Amino acid sequence: AYYKKVDIKTYTITNKTNKTKTLILEHPFRKGWDLVDTPKPIEETRIWYRFQIDLKPESTVIFPVSEAHIVYEAFGLNDLSLDDISVFVEKNYISQEIKKSFENIVKIKSEIVSLRKSIQEKENQYELLFNDQERIRKNLRSLKASPAERKLAEDYVSKLSVQEKELEGIQSKIIKLKEKKNKLQTELSSMVGSLEFEKEIF
């Protein structure tokens, strides 16, 4: 986004004599600022703009010096939040065609956020189940050969077998969710990378 800052300094010059006068007005030169809607100076140095102003007898001249400075600001769409992107759409800063692309970006980013949440939930579930297995294995190692403890050991082994299948199922879901997320991330990067537009905003 390019923004134009405009700075106007107005000089009020009065000739109180009854003769025609010529005034050389020195206005400070500022690097990065350009004269706009201002008469061309008769001389330009590293420090000054010099303007020649003809003054009629007993008259006042209003002489504005207008300068513009361009400010550049970059926005990375992949780094913007959903709210940030929605602002561009709501404020109508973009064309209808680009608006549609932005809406698709919002949709995909929302799906990616949802997938990340699901992946985190599955990974937490996997970790809890895995830690429970570690606890059961530790208990198994401490059991003796008495009939009661053998029965408890069988129960532990049965539970471990069930949990192992659950872990495999969770791991499979995590892999599928990550594949879907990576696919959407690639699609999003491609969409953002191919976007190009220009629009004047007043």
mmCIF file of all heavy atoms in Angstrom, residues 43-88:
data_model
loop_
_atom_site.group_PDB
_atom_site.id
_atom_site.type_symbol
_atom_site.label_atom_id
_atom_site.label_comp_id
_atom_site.label_asym_id
_atom_site.label_seq_id
_atom_site.Cartn_x
_atom_site.Cartn_y
_atom_site.Cartn_z
ATOM 1 N N GLU A 43 15.527 28.132 -8.802
ATOM 2 C CA GLU A 43 16.777 27.476 -8.435
ATOM 3 C C GLU A 43 16.498 26.434 -7.353
ATOM 4 O O GLU A 43 15.624 26.606 -6.513
ATOM 5 C CB GLU A 43 17.797 28.509 -7.926
ATOM 6 C CG GLU A 43 19.183 27.923 -7.672
ATOM 7 C CD GLU A 43 20.174 28.972 -7.174
ATOM 8 O OE1 GLU A 43 19.765 30.149 -6.983
ATOM 9 O OE2 GLU A 43 21.349 28.625 -6.961
ATOM 10 N N GLU A 44 17.272 25.358 -7.414
ATOM 11 C CA GLU A 44 17.126 24.294 -6.426
ATOM 12 C C GLU A 44 18.512 23.850 -5.973
ATOM 13 O O GLU A 44 19.355 23.489 -6.788
ATOM 14 C CB GLU A 44 16.365 23.110 -7.042
ATOM 15 C CG GLU A 44 16.105 21.980 -6.082
ATOM 16 C CD GLU A 44 15.300 20.857 -6.743
ATOM 17 O OE1 GLU A 44 14.449 21.156 -7.613
ATOM 18 O OE2 GLU A 44 15.550 19.694 -6.383
ATOM 19 N N THR A 45 18.759 23.907 -4.667
ATOM 20 C CA THR A 45 20.050 23.494 -4.109
ATOM 21 C C THR A 45 19.823 22.306 -3.171
ATOM 22 O O THR A 45 18.698 21.808 -3.034
ATOM 23 C CB THR A 45 20.715 24.636 -3.325
ATOM 24 O OG1 THR A 45 19.997 24.855 -2.094
ATOM 25 C CG2 THR A 45 20.732 25.918 -4.145
ATOM 26 N N ARG A 46 20.899 21.873 -2.524
ATOM 27 C CA ARG A 46 20.772 20.771 -1.570
ATOM 28 C C ARG A 46 19.989 21.195 -0.331
ATOM 29 O O ARG A 46 19.479 20.359 0.408
ATOM 30 C CB ARG A 46 22.156 20.274 -1.120
ATOM 31 C CG ARG A 46 22.939 19.555 -2.198
ATOM 32 C CD ARG A 46 24.205 18.916 -1.636
ATOM 33 N NE ARG A 46 25.038 19.877 -0.933
ATOM 34 C CZ ARG A 46 25.167 19.930 0.386
ATOM 35 N NH1 ARG A 46 24.504 19.085 1.160
ATOM 36 N NH2 ARG A 46 25.949 20.837 0.945
ATOM 37 N N ILE A 47 19.877 22.497 -0.135
ATOM 38 C CA ILE A 47 19.257 23.017 1.089
ATOM 39 C C ILE A 47 17.961 23.778 0.829
ATOM 40 O O ILE A 47 17.028 23.735 1.624
ATOM 41 C CB ILE A 47 20.246 23.934 1.838
ATOM 42 C CG1 ILE A 47 21.534 23.168 2.139
ATOM 43 C CG2 ILE A 47 19.640 24.462 3.127
ATOM 44 C CD1 ILE A 47 22.619 24.027 2.758
ATOM 45 N N TRP A 48 17.895 24.463 -0.320
ATOM 46 C CA TRP A 48 16.768 25.368 -0.558
ATOM 47 C C TRP A 48 16.106 25.165 -1.929
ATOM 48 O O TRP A 48 16.744 24.782 -2.883
ATOM 49 C CB TRP A 48 17.228 26.833 -0.500
ATOM 50 C CG TRP A 48 17.893 27.247 0.775
ATOM 51 C CD1 TRP A 48 19.233 27.436 0.965
ATOM 52 C CD2 TRP A 48 17.264 27.532 2.012
ATOM 53 N NE1 TRP A 48 19.482 27.822 2.252
ATOM 54 C CE2 TRP A 48 18.278 27.880 2.933
ATOM 55 C CE3 TRP A 48 15.927 27.528 2.450
ATOM 56 C CZ2 TRP A 48 18.015 28.223 4.253
ATOM 57 C CZ3 TRP A 48 15.660 27.874 3.770
ATOM 58 C CH2 TRP A 48 16.690 28.211 4.656
ATOM 59 N N TYR A 49 14.803 25.491 -1.929
ATOM 60 C CA TYR A 49 14.101 25.822 -3.166
ATOM 61 C C TYR A 49 14.058 27.350 -3.185
ATOM 62 O O TYR A 49 13.744 27.976 -2.166
ATOM 63 C CB TYR A 49 12.661 25.305 -3.158
ATOM 64 C CG TYR A 49 12.496 23.806 -3.270
ATOM 65 C CD1 TYR A 49 11.933 23.083 -2.229
ATOM 66 C CD2 TYR A 49 12.876 23.133 -4.430
ATOM 67 C CE1 TYR A 49 11.747 21.714 -2.339
ATOM 68 C CE2 TYR A 49 12.695 21.768 -4.547
ATOM 69 C CZ TYR A 49 12.132 21.064 -3.491
ATOM 70 O OH TYR A 49 11.955 19.714 -3.599
ATOM 71 N N ARG A 50 14.340 27.946 -4.332
ATOM 72 C CA ARG A 50 14.232 29.402 -4.429
ATOM 73 C C ARG A 50 13.165 29.760 -5.460
ATOM 74 O O ARG A 50 13.241 29.359 -6.623
ATOM 75 C CB ARG A 50 15.587 30.008 -4.815
ATOM 76 C CG ARG A 50 16.628 29.889 -3.697
ATOM 77 C CD ARG A 50 17.851 30.755 -3.939
ATOM 78 N NE ARG A 50 18.751 30.725 -2.781
ATOM 79 C CZ ARG A 50 19.824 29.943 -2.698
ATOM 80 N NH1 ARG A 50 20.161 29.163 -3.709
ATOM 81 N NH2 ARG A 50 20.576 29.966 -1.607
ATOM 82 N N PHE A 51 12.160 30.507 -5.000
ATOM 83 C CA PHE A 51 11.052 30.924 -5.855
ATOM 84 C C PHE A 51 11.118 32.439 -6.085
ATOM 85 O O PHE A 51 11.422 33.196 -5.157
ATOM 86 C CB PHE A 51 9.702 30.583 -5.203
ATOM 87 C CG PHE A 51 9.495 29.122 -4.936
ATOM 88 C CD1 PHE A 51 9.806 28.592 -3.692
ATOM 89 C CD2 PHE A 51 9.001 28.287 -5.920
ATOM 90 C CE1 PHE A 51 9.612 27.244 -3.433
ATOM 91 C CE2 PHE A 51 8.808 26.943 -5.675
ATOM 92 C CZ PHE A 51 9.109 26.415 -4.418
ATOM 93 N N GLN A 52 10.823 32.838 -7.299
ATOM 94 C CA GLN A 52 10.769 34.270 -7.602
ATOM 95 C C GLN A 52 9.313 34.711 -7.588
ATOM 96 O O GLN A 52 8.467 34.142 -8.295
ATOM 97 C CB GLN A 52 11.393 34.576 -8.965
ATOM 98 C CG GLN A 52 11.354 36.064 -9.326
ATOM 99 C CD GLN A 52 12.082 36.358 -10.625
ATOM 100 O OE1 GLN A 52 13.203 35.892 -10.833
ATOM 101 N NE2 GLN A 52 11.439 37.117 -11.508
ATOM 102 N N ILE A 53 9.024 35.724 -6.778
ATOM 103 C CA ILE A 53 7.654 36.203 -6.643
ATOM 104 C C ILE A 53 7.621 37.696 -6.950
ATOM 105 O O ILE A 53 8.349 38.481 -6.326
ATOM 106 C CB ILE A 53 7.120 35.946 -5.214
ATOM 107 C CG1 ILE A 53 7.220 34.447 -4.881
ATOM 108 C CG2 ILE A 53 5.692 36.450 -5.062
ATOM 109 C CD1 ILE A 53 6.903 34.127 -3.445
ATOM 110 N N ASP A 54 6.809 38.073 -7.913
ATOM 111 C CA ASP A 54 6.652 39.487 -8.282
ATOM 112 C C ASP A 54 5.517 40.096 -7.468
ATOM 113 O O ASP A 54 4.400 39.551 -7.429
ATOM 114 C CB ASP A 54 6.357 39.617 -9.778
ATOM 115 C CG ASP A 54 7.532 39.128 -10.630
ATOM 116 O OD1 ASP A 54 8.689 39.374 -10.222
ATOM 117 O OD2 ASP A 54 7.286 38.492 -11.669
ATOM 118 N N LEU A 55 5.805 41.210 -6.826
ATOM 119 C CA LEU A 55 4.836 41.865 -5.956
ATOM 120 C C LEU A 55 4.437 43.225 -6.520
ATOM 121 O O LEU A 55 5.286 44.085 -6.769
ATOM 122 C CB LEU A 55 5.432 42.054 -4.557
ATOM 123 C CG LEU A 55 5.910 40.777 -3.835
ATOM 124 C CD1 LEU A 55 6.701 41.132 -2.595
ATOM 125 C CD2 LEU A 55 4.708 39.916 -3.478
ATOM 126 N N LYS A 56 3.150 43.405 -6.699
ATOM 127 C CA LYS A 56 2.643 44.697 -7.148
ATOM 128 C C LYS A 56 2.660 45.683 -5.970
ATOM 129 O O LYS A 56 2.687 45.264 -4.811
ATOM 130 C CB LYS A 56 1.230 44.559 -7.693
ATOM 131 C CG LYS A 56 1.150 43.712 -8.955
ATOM 132 C CD LYS A 56 -0.285 43.602 -9.422
ATOM 133 C CE LYS A 56 -0.369 42.743 -10.687
ATOM 134 N NZ LYS A 56 -1.766 42.606 -11.172
ATOM 135 N N PRO A 57 2.639 46.960 -6.274
ATOM 136 C CA PRO A 57 2.647 47.954 -5.187
ATOM 137 C C PRO A 57 1.463 47.759 -4.236
ATOM 138 O O PRO A 57 0.341 47.481 -4.663
ATOM 139 C CB PRO A 57 2.549 49.292 -5.927
ATOM 140 C CG PRO A 57 3.064 49.012 -7.306
ATOM 141 C CD PRO A 57 2.643 47.606 -7.610
ATOM 142 N N GLU A 58 1.771 47.901 -2.960
ATOM 143 C CA GLU A 58 0.749 47.839 -1.915
ATOM 144 C C GLU A 58 -0.202 46.645 -2.120
ATOM 145 O O GLU A 58 -1.423 46.803 -2.193
ATOM 146 C CB GLU A 58 -0.028 49.158 -1.871
ATOM 147 C CG GLU A 58 0.857 50.348 -1.530
ATOM 148 C CD GLU A 58 0.088 51.658 -1.508
ATOM 149 O OE1 GLU A 58 -1.086 51.657 -1.940
ATOM 150 O OE2 GLU A 58 0.651 52.669 -1.079
ATOM 151 N N SER A 59 0.395 45.484 -2.233
ATOM 152 C CA SER A 59 -0.413 44.280 -2.458
ATOM 153 C C SER A 59 0.090 43.135 -1.571
ATOM 154 O O SER A 59 1.199 43.168 -1.029
ATOM 155 C CB SER A 59 -0.358 43.858 -3.923
ATOM 156 O OG SER A 59 0.959 43.471 -4.267
ATOM 157 N N THR A 60 -0.765 42.136 -1.446
ATOM 158 C CA THR A 60 -0.419 40.940 -0.665
ATOM 159 C C THR A 60 -0.550 39.709 -1.550
ATOM 160 O O THR A 60 -1.544 39.565 -2.290
ATOM 161 C CB THR A 60 -1.340 40.783 0.560
ATOM 162 O OG1 THR A 60 -1.140 41.901 1.439
ATOM 163 C CG2 THR A 60 -1.029 39.501 1.319
ATOM 164 N N VAL A 61 0.435 38.852 -1.486
ATOM 165 C CA VAL A 61 0.438 37.612 -2.268
ATOM 166 C C VAL A 61 0.416 36.414 -1.312
ATOM 167 O O VAL A 61 1.177 36.368 -0.341
ATOM 168 C CB VAL A 61 1.681 37.524 -3.182
ATOM 169 C CG1 VAL A 61 1.780 36.155 -3.832
ATOM 170 C CG2 VAL A 61 1.629 38.622 -4.235
ATOM 171 N N ILE A 62 -0.478 35.515 -1.586
ATOM 172 C CA ILE A 62 -0.527 34.247 -0.830
ATOM 173 C C ILE A 62 0.186 33.203 -1.677
ATOM 174 O O ILE A 62 -0.229 32.911 -2.800
ATOM 175 C CB ILE A 62 -1.976 33.800 -0.558
ATOM 176 C CG1 ILE A 62 -2.757 34.913 0.158
ATOM 177 C CG2 ILE A 62 -1.985 32.517 0.267
ATOM 178 C CD1 ILE A 62 -2.200 35.278 1.500
ATOM 179 N N PHE A 63 1.267 32.639 -1.147
ATOM 180 C CA PHE A 63 2.081 31.709 -1.930
ATOM 181 C C PHE A 63 2.199 30.368 -1.176
ATOM 182 O O PHE A 63 3.019 30.221 -0.264
ATOM 183 C CB PHE A 63 3.469 32.298 -2.170
ATOM 184 C CG PHE A 63 4.287 31.537 -3.181
ATOM 185 C CD1 PHE A 63 4.180 31.802 -4.532
ATOM 186 C CD2 PHE A 63 5.173 30.537 -2.766
ATOM 187 C CE1 PHE A 63 4.934 31.102 -5.466
ATOM 188 C CE2 PHE A 63 5.929 29.829 -3.691
ATOM 189 C CZ PHE A 63 5.813 30.107 -5.039
ATOM 190 N N PRO A 64 1.391 29.390 -1.577
ATOM 191 C CA PRO A 64 1.487 28.082 -0.920
ATOM 192 C C PRO A 64 2.555 27.197 -1.580
ATOM 193 O O PRO A 64 2.676 27.158 -2.801
ATOM 194 C CB PRO A 64 0.093 27.483 -1.118
ATOM 195 C CG PRO A 64 -0.408 28.107 -2.373
ATOM 196 C CD PRO A 64 0.244 29.458 -2.498
ATOM 197 N N VAL A 65 3.322 26.505 -0.759
ATOM 198 C CA VAL A 65 4.293 25.516 -1.246
ATOM 199 C C VAL A 65 3.808 24.150 -0.778
ATOM 200 O O VAL A 65 3.742 23.870 0.419
ATOM 201 C CB VAL A 65 5.709 25.794 -0.707
ATOM 202 C CG1 VAL A 65 6.679 24.719 -1.198
ATOM 203 C CG2 VAL A 65 6.182 27.174 -1.145
ATOM 204 N N SER A 66 3.447 23.322 -1.747
ATOM 205 C CA SER A 66 2.881 22.009 -1.434
ATOM 206 C C SER A 66 3.892 20.913 -1.759
ATOM 207 O O SER A 66 4.453 20.881 -2.856
ATOM 208 C CB SER A 66 1.591 21.802 -2.242
ATOM 209 O OG SER A 66 1.044 20.539 -1.987
ATOM 210 N N GLU A 67 4.111 20.029 -0.789
ATOM 211 C CA GLU A 67 5.062 18.928 -0.972
ATOM 212 C C GLU A 67 4.397 17.599 -0.630
ATOM 213 O O GLU A 67 3.579 17.511 0.295
ATOM 214 C CB GLU A 67 6.291 19.117 -0.083
ATOM 215 C CG GLU A 67 7.105 20.367 -0.400
ATOM 216 C CD GLU A 67 8.172 20.609 0.657
ATOM 217 O OE1 GLU A 67 7.821 21.156 1.714
ATOM 218 O OE2 GLU A 67 9.332 20.248 0.409
ATOM 219 N N ALA A 68 4.767 16.568 -1.386
ATOM 220 C CA ALA A 68 4.187 15.240 -1.171
ATOM 221 C C ALA A 68 5.290 14.221 -0.883
ATOM 222 O O ALA A 68 6.385 14.279 -1.443
ATOM 223 C CB ALA A 68 3.387 14.799 -2.395
ATOM 224 N N HIS A 69 4.962 13.308 0.002
ATOM 225 C CA HIS A 69 5.901 12.248 0.381
ATOM 226 C C HIS A 69 5.171 10.914 0.301
ATOM 227 O O HIS A 69 4.089 10.754 0.866
ATOM 228 C CB HIS A 69 6.399 12.499 1.810
ATOM 229 C CG HIS A 69 7.279 11.412 2.348
ATOM 230 N ND1 HIS A 69 8.480 11.075 1.785
ATOM 231 C CD2 HIS A 69 7.119 10.590 3.423
ATOM 232 C CE1 HIS A 69 9.038 10.094 2.487
ATOM 233 N NE2 HIS A 69 8.222 9.778 3.475
ATOM 234 N N ILE A 70 5.743 9.954 -0.422
ATOM 235 C CA ILE A 70 5.118 8.642 -0.589
ATOM 236 C C ILE A 70 5.604 7.698 0.511
ATOM 237 O O ILE A 70 6.799 7.520 0.711
ATOM 238 C CB ILE A 70 5.428 8.031 -1.967
ATOM 239 C CG1 ILE A 70 4.964 8.979 -3.082
ATOM 240 C CG2 ILE A 70 4.766 6.666 -2.108
ATOM 241 C CD1 ILE A 70 3.478 9.227 -3.093
ATOM 242 N N VAL A 71 4.646 7.109 1.215
ATOM 243 C CA VAL A 71 4.954 6.120 2.260
ATOM 244 C C VAL A 71 4.492 4.751 1.780
ATOM 245 O O VAL A 71 3.374 4.603 1.293
ATOM 246 C CB VAL A 71 4.232 6.479 3.580
ATOM 247 C CG1 VAL A 71 4.548 5.442 4.653
ATOM 248 C CG2 VAL A 71 4.655 7.865 4.045
ATOM 249 N N TYR A 72 5.369 3.783 1.922
ATOM 250 C CA TYR A 72 5.063 2.418 1.467
ATOM 251 C C TYR A 72 4.887 1.502 2.664
ATOM 252 O O TYR A 72 5.658 1.553 3.617
ATOM 253 C CB TYR A 72 6.194 1.901 0.584
ATOM 254 C CG TYR A 72 6.108 0.422 0.257
ATOM 255 C CD1 TYR A 72 5.211 -0.043 -0.697
ATOM 256 C CD2 TYR A 72 6.926 -0.500 0.909
ATOM 257 C CE1 TYR A 72 5.129 -1.391 -1.000
ATOM 258 C CE2 TYR A 72 6.849 -1.848 0.616
ATOM 259 C CZ TYR A 72 5.952 -2.292 -0.337
ATOM 260 O OH TYR A 72 5.868 -3.628 -0.624
ATOM 261 N N GLU A 73 3.850 0.682 2.602
ATOM 262 C CA GLU A 73 3.614 -0.291 3.677
ATOM 263 C C GLU A 73 3.248 -1.638 3.049
ATOM 264 O O GLU A 73 2.443 -1.703 2.122
ATOM 265 C CB GLU A 73 2.482 0.186 4.591
ATOM 266 C CG GLU A 73 2.289 -0.671 5.814
ATOM 267 C CD GLU A 73 1.254 -0.085 6.772
ATOM 268 O OE1 GLU A 73 0.662 0.958 6.443
ATOM 269 O OE2 GLU A 73 1.055 -0.685 7.834
ATOM 270 N N ALA A 74 3.865 -2.701 3.542
ATOM 271 C CA ALA A 74 3.620 -4.037 2.982
ATOM 272 C C ALA A 74 2.860 -4.899 3.981
ATOM 273 O O ALA A 74 3.105 -4.851 5.189
ATOM 274 C CB ALA A 74 4.942 -4.707 2.620
ATOM 275 N N PHE A 75 1.914 -5.679 3.458
ATOM 276 C CA PHE A 75 1.150 -6.615 4.276
ATOM 277 C C PHE A 75 1.370 -8.022 3.720
ATOM 278 O O PHE A 75 1.188 -8.252 2.530
ATOM 279 C CB PHE A 75 -0.352 -6.301 4.222
ATOM 280 C CG PHE A 75 -0.707 -4.919 4.703
ATOM 281 C CD1 PHE A 75 -0.755 -3.858 3.814
ATOM 282 C CD2 PHE A 75 -0.975 -4.688 6.030
ATOM 283 C CE1 PHE A 75 -1.083 -2.586 4.247
ATOM 284 C CE2 PHE A 75 -1.301 -3.407 6.475
ATOM 285 C CZ PHE A 75 -1.359 -2.370 5.587
ATOM 286 N N GLY A 76 1.775 -8.944 4.569
ATOM 287 C CA GLY A 76 1.916 -10.341 4.139
ATOM 288 C C GLY A 76 0.621 -11.088 4.404
ATOM 289 O O GLY A 76 0.223 -11.264 5.555
ATOM 290 N N LEU A 77 -0.072 -11.498 3.349
ATOM 291 C CA LEU A 77 -1.381 -12.121 3.527
ATOM 292 C C LEU A 77 -1.318 -13.400 4.348
ATOM 293 O O LEU A 77 -2.233 -13.715 5.101
ATOM 294 C CB LEU A 77 -2.016 -12.414 2.157
ATOM 295 C CG LEU A 77 -2.467 -11.196 1.367
ATOM 296 C CD1 LEU A 77 -3.081 -11.614 0.044
ATOM 297 C CD2 LEU A 77 -3.465 -10.384 2.159
ATOM 298 N N ASN A 78 -0.227 -14.150 4.197
ATOM 299 C CA ASN A 78 -0.120 -15.388 4.966
ATOM 300 C C ASN A 78 0.020 -15.114 6.456
ATOM 301 O O ASN A 78 -0.251 -15.992 7.276
ATOM 302 C CB ASN A 78 1.081 -16.216 4.484
ATOM 303 C CG ASN A 78 0.694 -17.143 3.342
ATOM 304 O OD1 ASN A 78 -0.442 -17.595 3.261
ATOM 305 N ND2 ASN A 78 1.627 -17.419 2.465
ATOM 306 N N ASP A 79 0.472 -13.910 6.790
ATOM 307 C CA ASP A 79 0.699 -13.570 8.196
ATOM 308 C C ASP A 79 -0.472 -12.826 8.813
ATOM 309 O O ASP A 79 -0.526 -12.664 10.030
ATOM 310 C CB ASP A 79 1.971 -12.716 8.328
ATOM 311 C CG ASP A 79 3.199 -13.443 7.818
ATOM 312 O OD1 ASP A 79 3.269 -14.668 8.005
ATOM 313 O OD2 ASP A 79 4.077 -12.786 7.225
ATOM 314 N N LEU A 80 -1.413 -12.370 7.993
ATOM 315 C CA LEU A 80 -2.545 -11.626 8.522
ATOM 316 C C LEU A 80 -3.550 -12.564 9.171
ATOM 317 O O LEU A 80 -3.701 -13.707 8.772
ATOM 318 C CB LEU A 80 -3.242 -10.848 7.402
ATOM 319 C CG LEU A 80 -2.456 -9.700 6.767
ATOM 320 C CD1 LEU A 80 -3.280 -9.088 5.649
ATOM 321 C CD2 LEU A 80 -2.122 -8.649 7.803
ATOM 322 N N SER A 81 -4.226 -12.053 10.185
ATOM 323 C CA SER A 81 -5.283 -12.838 10.826
ATOM 324 C C SER A 81 -6.538 -12.783 9.958
ATOM 325 O O SER A 81 -6.643 -11.980 9.030
ATOM 326 C CB SER A 81 -5.583 -12.271 12.211
ATOM 327 O OG SER A 81 -6.187 -10.990 12.090
ATOM 328 N N LEU A 82 -7.501 -13.617 10.305
ATOM 329 C CA LEU A 82 -8.764 -13.614 9.568
ATOM 330 C C LEU A 82 -9.446 -12.254 9.692
ATOM 331 O O LEU A 82 -10.052 -11.769 8.739
ATOM 332 C CB LEU A 82 -9.678 -14.726 10.106
ATOM 333 C CG LEU A 82 -9.158 -16.160 9.930
ATOM 334 C CD1 LEU A 82 -10.118 -17.135 10.591
ATOM 335 C CD2 LEU A 82 -8.994 -16.497 8.465
ATOM 336 N N ASP A 83 -9.340 -11.651 10.865
ATOM 337 C CA ASP A 83 -9.953 -10.333 11.066
ATOM 338 C C ASP A 83 -9.288 -9.279 10.183
ATOM 339 O O ASP A 83 -9.963 -8.414 9.619
ATOM 340 C CB ASP A 83 -9.843 -9.914 12.535
ATOM 341 C CG ASP A 83 -10.742 -10.744 13.443
ATOM 342 O OD1 ASP A 83 -11.703 -11.333 12.925
ATOM 343 O OD2 ASP A 83 -10.477 -10.803 14.650
ATOM 344 N N ASP A 84 -7.956 -9.350 10.062
ATOM 345 C CA ASP A 84 -7.233 -8.390 9.224
ATOM 346 C C ASP A 84 -7.698 -8.485 7.778
ATOM 347 O O ASP A 84 -7.942 -7.472 7.116
ATOM 348 C CB ASP A 84 -5.721 -8.658 9.290
ATOM 349 C CG ASP A 84 -5.143 -8.345 10.661
ATOM 350 O OD1 ASP A 84 -5.695 -7.467 11.335
ATOM 351 O OD2 ASP A 84 -4.152 -8.981 11.042
ATOM 352 N N ILE A 85 -7.801 -9.699 7.271
ATOM 353 C CA ILE A 85 -8.212 -9.897 5.879
ATOM 354 C C ILE A 85 -9.656 -9.437 5.683
ATOM 355 O O ILE A 85 -9.998 -8.826 4.669
ATOM 356 C CB ILE A 85 -8.052 -11.374 5.479
ATOM 357 C CG1 ILE A 85 -6.568 -11.748 5.482
ATOM 358 C CG2 ILE A 85 -8.646 -11.634 4.097
ATOM 359 C CD1 ILE A 85 -6.291 -13.187 5.168
ATOM 360 N N SER A 86 -10.496 -9.700 6.668
ATOM 361 C CA SER A 86 -11.902 -9.300 6.553
ATOM 362 C C SER A 86 -12.042 -7.788 6.431
ATOM 363 O O SER A 86 -12.968 -7.303 5.782
ATOM 364 C CB SER A 86 -12.687 -9.801 7.775
ATOM 365 O OG SER A 86 -12.693 -11.213 7.819
ATOM 366 N N VAL A 87 -11.129 -7.044 7.059
ATOM 367 C CA VAL A 87 -11.190 -5.581 6.990
ATOM 368 C C VAL A 87 -11.064 -5.108 5.552
ATOM 369 O O VAL A 87 -11.796 -4.216 5.106
ATOM 370 C CB VAL A 87 -10.076 -4.950 7.862
ATOM 371 C CG1 VAL A 87 -9.934 -3.466 7.553
ATOM 372 C CG2 VAL A 87 -10.394 -5.155 9.324
ATOM 373 N N PHE A 88 -10.133 -5.702 4.783
ATOM 374 C CA PHE A 88 -9.950 -5.310 3.386
ATOM 375 C C PHE A 88 -11.229 -5.544 2.585
ATOM 376 O O PHE A 88 -11.574 -4.766 1.695
ATOM 377 C CB PHE A 88 -8.806 -6.104 2.755
ATOM 378 C CG PHE A 88 -7.447 -5.708 3.252
ATOM 379 C CD1 PHE A 88 -6.733 -6.561 4.072
ATOM 380 C CD2 PHE A 88 -6.873 -4.497 2.909
ATOM 381 C CE1 PHE A 88 -5.480 -6.206 4.538
ATOM 382 C CE2 PHE A 88 -5.625 -4.133 3.365
ATOM 383 C CZ PHE A 88 -4.926 -4.998 4.187
#
